[in-house]
Amino acid sequence: MIATGVGSMPGGDQASYDEAVRVVLGELPDLPHLPEVPGRGAPAGMLGRALAVTDGLGVDLQPAGWRLTDASGVDHRRARSLLAQDLDGLEEQAQGLTGSFKVQVAGPWTLSASVEKPRGDKVLSDVGARRDLAQALAEGVRTHVRDLRRRLPGVERLVVQVDEPSLAAVLGGRVPTASGFGRHRTVHPPEASEHLQWVLEAIAAEDAEPWVHSCAPESPWALLRGAGARGLSADLDTLSARDHEALAEALDAGETVVLGVVASRDPATAPSDTEVTERVLRWLDLVGLDVATLGDTLALSPTCGLSGATPAWSGSVLRLLTASARHLS
């Protein structure tokens, strides 16, 4: 049993990022991750970080959000510069790191549901544009993984977590149009799977492990596994009976499941590591699995990113998860 984070950490400046790296490396010895500190602005957020990775597309930040353009705007260039700076900081602090490491990138459907076309409205509304965006992301992820391999030569297991919080809304036809009065048409599962497969196969082709994270209800776990995900990351509080069954099937197949079991925002009363351990054991009993047979295929995490937490809680929750994982091991 191991513990990890979802991705984001609190803070609003470069010093916050450097501290987040220190905390993650110190408190998550089994699977540390590249922190995101979105409090530094849109170029440092989930979308900005993914667009910094995406290859061959120009993007600019407009009042309504990120928009595809003929050439990269100043905010897109800043996102790329900030990512390179963050990786430099990670490389400096992680010298000698061995074992496992995780990075995160927003997935093709979350990007399509969030980024606008050059003349407005979401990329999601254009079949060709969403295809181009997914393929550009897949190519960019390849380069990103190679760069990480160079910077972290001692890491044997590299995980790339593809964040898809908007996928359920895309499949359910619940993404609003620019006017706010309508909804974009439903994307059918074969197309949704194909675009995800491009990204997940690019990750696997670089000898990294493709995971998908979603803390949204009704996430299509079977579709994600079919597209090539070898790890599924979920918020336990949002799961239905069908979700429990799907995650149990993934564990039974030897794939990784990451359970979000501790609140990502400061709770009124913090749970103890014993309470967290008991909660995980209850879930395993519910799905009919034995903790002794799972090894490191089951991991614990916060319910979502920690950007909305206080710095004190962000460190505490990671320590709590690591202690709970040790008990379960």
Side-chain angles (χ1 to χ4, degrees):
M1 190 78 63
I2 60 175
T4 190
V6 172
S8 66
M9 296 287 283
D13 54 22
Q14 194 59 34
S16 302
Y17 172 78
D18 295 335
E19 175 63 11
V21 173
R22 186 193 68 77
V23 169
V24 165
L25 292 175
E27 305 296 350
L28 295 172
D30 295 321
L31 187 55
H33 62 90
L34 178 68
E36 299 167 2
V37 182
R40 295 177 293 173
M46 179 181 70
L47 299 178
R49 180 68 68 81
L51 292 168
V53 168
T54 300
D55 181 57
L57 291 179
V59 189
D60 194 15
L61 186 61
Q62 305 287 330
W66 292 101
R67 177 175 289 185
L68 297 178
T69 54
D70 292 335
S72 294
V74 62
D75 290 296
H76 192 205
R77 294 194 297 272
R78 181 166 177 258
R80 287 176 168 164
S81 175
L82 198 56
L83 175 58
Q85 183 178 324
D86 286 354
L87 291 171
D88 288 343
L90 170 70
E91 185 178 5
E92 181 178 347
Q93 291 200 51
Q95 289 184 21
L97 181 68
T98 59
S100 303
F101 192 78
K102 179 170 75 73
V103 295
Q104 307 79 224
V105 63
W109 292 110
T110 293
L111 286 179
S112 289
S114 306
V115 177
E116 292 192 340
K117 298 180 297 181
R119 298 190 178 215
D121 216 343
K122 305 299 184 188
V123 169
L124 186 60
S125 66
D126 186 306
V127 173
R130 63 201 195 201
R131 172 181 288 267
D132 291 345
L133 182 55
Q135 292 178 339
L137 177 63
E139 287 306 308
V141 166
R142 289 179 184 272
T143 303
H144 189 40
V145 171
R146 291 169 189 165
D147 186 32
L148 285 159
R149 292 281 188 203
R150 178 182 62 80
R151 292 174 181 272
L152 303 173
V155 169
E156 298 172 359
R157 181 194 187 193
L158 182 61
V159 174
V160 180
Q161 172 187 300
V162 178
D163 292 316
E164 280 287 17
S166 299
L167 178 58
V170 167
L171 291 169
R174 299 193 301 271
V175 178
T177 57
S179 68
F181 295 110
R183 296 290 183 270
H184 288 286
R185 291 181 179 176
T186 297
V187 171
H188 296 297
E191 183 187 357
S193 179
E194 181 184 40
H195 288 207
L196 281 161
Q197 189 172 348
W198 294 332
V199 177
L200 300 177
E201 284 185 346
I203 295 166
E206 297 300 325
D207 199 26
E209 197 170 317
W211 291 6
V212 177
H213 166 76
S214 175
C215 50
E218 300 178 20
S219 293
W221 305 115
L223 183 150
L224 295 172
R225 291 180 65 205
R230 293 298 167 259
L232 303 174
S233 176
D235 174 359
L236 183 54
D237 291 332
T238 68
L239 299 182
S240 67
R242 184 169 57 181
D243 296 328
H244 294 308
E245 183 179 349
L247 296 180
E249 287 176 359
L251 283 170
D252 220 24
E255 298 164 10
T256 301
V257 167
V258 185
L259 279 184
V261 292
V262 179
S264 57
R265 291 179 179 266
D266 300 47
T269 303
S272 67
D273 52 359
T274 300
E275 290 171 324
V276 174
T277 301
E278 290 174 349
R279 186 181 188 204
V280 176
L281 290 172
R282 285 195 301 272
W283 182 78
L284 290 170
D285 184 58
L286 172 70
V287 298
L289 293 173
D290 182 355
V291 66
T293 66
L294 296 176
D296 288 348
T297 58
L298 182 62
L300 307 182
S301 77
T303 54
C304 207
L306 294 169
S307 60
T310 62
W313 177 243
S314 67
S316 295
V317 68
L318 299 185
R319 285 191 293 275
L320 180 61
L321 290 164
T322 297
S324 302
R326 291 286 182 268
H327 293 326
L328 289 160
S329 295

